[in-house]
């Protein structure tokens, strides 16, 4: 086994299926398991042992500020392949197309806890970047054994995550109450009550896209397709995924890529409603 996230406070579960591949490494073929994550990380593990083929470092991450909560102090960061998203979203990354919306986005960002990837959820409100939709989500990844290239769809969006304290008596749960069982689970999701939990995420206002008037605050592209050379661990290329009616390049999506033996990569799954065909080399 290999743990990609320690003490998951963010909904950074492994939504994408792993890929089995054989790659050239240290002068010989090597069977590996490749796992892409919502954080935009790609882990390449030895298929027999689970040991990383490319170096992974345990790095310090921001600590929780919730009373009584203890978050894990480090997280695994792959050195290669390099993360497919920046480590942090800052003011210089906001979209400047609309000055009025830009100012609203600045105000929103300045009020949030924002210390980069793995910033814990908070009562103040946390900028969760990447969002729980990735990075890499259900779409998964594709591999071309001829070129040893991996093709990865990446979303570049953020969530605003805000916790709400539950009433003091909420931790005193009757033995007869079973949260997450049918109606009790619905009651928990809508109110946060009678669960034993001290904090709750409002399903409507507690976790939402980092946006104003339906437009993401961070500048596009909001999605791209990346190619990684697994023989070296280096990024070979990346291109925006589609465009909207206004010409905005790079839309978020959940469509899986398909690599062919003829050197093509098929990809779709954004709101553009087009199938795009890419040269796998470029």
């Amino acid at each position: 086994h290999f743990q990609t996230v320690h003490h998951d406070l963010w909904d950074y579960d492994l939504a994408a299926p792993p890929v089995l591949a054989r790659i050239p490494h240290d002068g010989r073929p090597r069977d590996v398991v490749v796992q892409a994550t919502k954080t935009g990380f790609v882990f390449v593990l030895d298929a027999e042992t689970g040991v990383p083929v490319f170096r992974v470092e345990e790095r310090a991450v921001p600590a929780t500020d919730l009373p009584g909560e203890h978050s894990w102090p480090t997280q695994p960061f792959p050195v290669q392949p390099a993360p497919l998203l920046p480590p942090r979203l800052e003011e210089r990354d906001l979209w400047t197309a609309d000055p009025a919306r830009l100012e609203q986005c600045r105000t929103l960002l300045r009020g949030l806890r924002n210390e980069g990837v793995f910033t814990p959820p908070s009562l103040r409100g946390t900028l969760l970047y990447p969002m729980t939709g990735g990075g890499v989500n259900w779409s998964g990844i594709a591999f071309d054994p001829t070129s040893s290239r991996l093709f990865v769809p990446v979303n570049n969006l953020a969530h605003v995550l805000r916790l709400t304290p539950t009433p003091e008596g909420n931790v005193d749960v009757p033995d007869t109450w079973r949260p997450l069982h049918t109606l009790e689970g619905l009651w928990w999701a809508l109110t946060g009550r009678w669960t034993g939990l001290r904090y709750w995420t409002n399903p409507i206002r507690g976790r939402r896209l980092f946006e104003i008037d339906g437009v993401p605050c961070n500048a596009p592209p909001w999605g791209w397709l990346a190619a990684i050379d697994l023989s070296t661990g280096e990024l070979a290329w990346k291109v925006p995924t589609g465009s909207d009616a206004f010409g905005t390049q790079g839309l978020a999506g959940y469509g899986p890529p398909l690599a062919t033996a003829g050197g093509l990569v098929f990809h779709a799954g954004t709101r553009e409603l087009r199938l795009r065909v890419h040269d796998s080399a470029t």
Side-chain angles (χ1 to χ4, degrees):
H1 73 274
F2 180 89
Q3 191 175 51
T4 59
V5 178
H6 309 317
H7 187 190
D8 184 8
L9 301 172
W10 306 271
D11 189 19
Y12 280 162
D13 59 300
L14 296 176
V19 163
L20 302 178
R22 178 169 290 172
I23 63 173
H25 187 77
D26 290 339
R28 64 179 180 86
R30 191 162 182 180
D31 291 328
V32 297
V33 177
V34 186
Q35 178 66 59
T37 72
K38 292 181 180 181
T39 52
F41 296 170
V42 177
F43 294 94
V44 184
L45 311 175
D46 185 281
E48 294 293 330
T49 65
V51 173
V53 171
F54 298 109
R55 189 158 56 97
V56 174
E57 295 179 346
E58 285 287 331
R59 298 179 186 172
V61 292
T64 181
D65 58 5
L66 289 180
E69 180 172 72
H70 301 275
S71 56
W72 204 262
T74 64
Q75 294 292 343
F77 285 73
V79 177
Q80 281 186 301
L84 294 169
L85 289 168
R88 180 176 176 176
L89 204 59
E90 303 188 41
E91 283 196 31
R92 64 172 179 264
D93 301 311
L94 300 180
W95 202 17
T96 60
D98 184 323
R101 190 173 63 240
L102 172 62
E103 195 54 42
Q104 293 181 71
C105 289
R106 280 180 178 150
T107 301
L108 176 59
L109 181 62
R110 290 170 183 172
L112 298 172
R113 187 173 178 190
N114 176 30
E115 298 161 51
V117 63
F118 298 115
T119 301
S122 64
L123 298 174
R124 169 186 174 187
T126 290
L127 184 73
L128 188 67
Y129 180 73
M131 71 170 186
T132 57
V136 184
N137 204 275
W138 302 312
S139 55
I141 52 184
F143 178 69
D144 176 6
T146 304
S147 63
S148 295
R149 284 195 173 175
L150 188 76
F151 304 101
V152 188
V154 185
N155 287 333
N156 179 35
L157 294 171
H159 268 145
V160 174
L161 183 60
R162 195 181 308 274
L163 298 178
T164 304
T166 59
E168 191 65 32
N170 196 54
V171 296
D172 303 320
V173 183
D175 292 338
T176 55
W177 193 263
R178 302 172 306 172
L180 302 185
H181 283 226
T182 339
L183 293 179
E184 295 100 329
L186 182 61
W187 178 255
W188 164 77
L190 294 177
T191 69
R193 301 294 181 90
W194 297 349
T195 59
L197 300 177
R198 297 183 186 276
Y199 305 98
W200 167 66
T201 304
N202 185 299
I204 298 175
R205 296 181 298 276
R207 185 173 73 179
R208 61 185 183 87
L209 193 66
F210 178 49
E211 53 84 18
I212 297 294
D213 297 331
V215 179
C217 281
N218 60 303
W222 300 308
W224 54 69
L225 181 67
I228 297 171
D229 186 344
L230 286 187
S231 64
T232 63
E234 299 292 335
L235 179 71
W237 52 260
K238 69 177 185 179
V239 294
T241 51
S243 60
D244 65 15
F246 304 101
T248 305
Q249 296 290 310
L251 308 179
Y254 296 96
L258 174 66
T260 74
L264 302 176
V265 182
F266 290 79
H267 187 227
T270 72
R271 294 185 180 184
E272 187 189 29
L273 302 182
R274 290 180 183 271
L275 178 65
R276 293 193 172 239
V277 189
H278 304 266
D279 185 313
S280 63
T282 64

